[in-house]
Amino acid sequence: MVDLAARRAVDQELTRERILDAARELFVTHGYRNVSMRQIARELGYSHGSIYYHFENKAELFYALLSEGFALLSQRFHEIMRCEERTPKVKLEDILLGFIEFGLTHQSHYEIMFLIKDEEVRSCLRQEPNESYEQFASAVYTLSGEKADISRIWSVFLSLHGFVSHYYKTEQTFSDVESAAKAHVRFLLGILQ
C-alpha cells in the first residue's frame, strides 16, 4: 500500500516547471514589473527562499520562460520541416499556419515572447527572438523555392504576428479562428510566390 502522506509530498514538490507555470500566469496577468519572487512563492504556497533554490533572480526566471517558449516554437518548425511526405508548398503553408496555431494555442507563452513591454525585460531578450525569426525566414526562403526576398518574408512574419495579436486580444482560440487563419495564410502565400 502506498503511503498517502508520501504521495502528497511528491505531488506538492516544488519543481522548476511549477514555478515557471505560476510565474508565466502572474507575468501575463500583472506584467513583469508588478510581479515579485515573493508573490510567485506565495501563489505556490512556498517561501520565497525555495524559489531562489531554482532561480537566482526574477530576470533569470523570466529568461527561462522566454527560452521555453522559443524552444516550443522552434520544435514546431522542426517538426514541419522534417515531415518528408509533404511537398515544399504544403510545408510552407504549414509553417505559416503553425506560427498562428502556436500563438493562439500557447497564448501565455506568446505574450511572454512577443507582447510584454518592459525595459527590464529587454535585457532578458538575448538571441532567441533573432534565432527564431532566422529559422522562420530560412524555412520560408527554402520552401518558397528561393523566390521570396527578405522584405516579403519580414512582411509575412509581421502579418502573422498581427493576426495572432488581434485574435489573442479577443481571447479566441486557434480552433475558433482556424478558417480565418487558413484564409489569411492562403493570402500570404500569394505574397511569397
Side-chain angles (χ1 to χ4, degrees):
M1 181 174 240
V2 176
D3 181 8
L4 290 178
R7 177 181 280 170
R8 225 176 279 131
V10 169
D11 289 344
Q12 297 302 315
E13 181 181 342
L14 184 62
T15 62
R16 280 180 63 90
E17 291 75 27
R18 285 188 63 210
I19 295 168
L20 290 172
D21 289 344
R24 183 182 311 102
E25 293 310 312
L26 288 170
F27 287 142
V28 167
T29 303
H30 303 292
Y32 178 82
R33 191 173 298 251
N34 298 320
V35 174
S36 68
M37 295 292 269
R38 285 183 188 276
Q39 190 176 1
I40 296 166
R42 192 169 38 251
E43 180 76 18
L44 292 164
Y46 282 85
S47 71
H48 68 282
S50 58
I51 301 239
Y52 287 106
Y53 174 78
H54 295 278
F55 298 98
E56 186 175 317
N57 54 40
K58 184 169 77 166
E60 182 184 337
L61 193 158
F62 190 82
Y63 179 69
L65 288 171
L66 281 173
S67 296
E68 178 185 72
F70 282 111
L72 283 171
L73 182 58
S74 178
Q75 178 183 352
R76 181 71 178 119
F77 289 156
H78 282 303
E79 288 168 359
I80 292 167
M81 294 301 287
R82 282 193 311 254
C83 189
E84 293 182 18
E85 56 272 355
R86 295 193 176 268
T87 66
K89 184 177 180 177
V90 172
K91 284 183 184 180
L92 179 58
E93 186 174 345
D94 289 348
I95 287 282
L96 303 184
L97 195 59
F99 184 87
I100 292 172
E101 183 176 12
F102 172 84
L104 294 176
T105 302
H106 302 284
Q107 291 186 10
S108 296
H109 287 85
Y110 194 85
E111 181 160 344
I112 294 287
M113 294 162 62
F114 294 109
L115 300 175
I116 286 185
K117 298 177 193 174
D118 190 290
E119 198 57 41
E120 285 182 64
V121 169
R122 290 175 204 247
S123 68
C124 295
L125 294 173
R126 297 180 184 157
Q127 288 300 315
E128 283 83 358
N130 293 335
E131 290 170 4
S132 182
Y133 174 72
E134 287 173 17
Q135 183 184 13
F136 172 84
S138 175
V140 170
Y141 181 74
T142 301
L143 295 171
S144 71
E146 301 178 357
K147 294 178 188 173
D149 62 32
I150 195 69
S151 63
R152 285 193 278 171
I153 294 171
W154 181 242
S155 294
V156 165
F157 180 81
L158 290 176
S159 183
L160 292 170
H161 175 64
F163 186 95
V164 172
S165 298
H166 171 75
Y167 284 105
Y168 171 83
K169 290 179 183 175
T170 66
E171 298 183 3
Q172 292 181 309
T173 65
F174 178 73
S175 61
D176 294 335
V177 300
E178 187 172 1
S179 61
K182 287 179 178 178
H184 187 63
V185 164
R186 283 191 298 276
F187 170 76
L188 294 176
L189 289 171
I191 293 172
L192 294 171
Q193 304 295 319

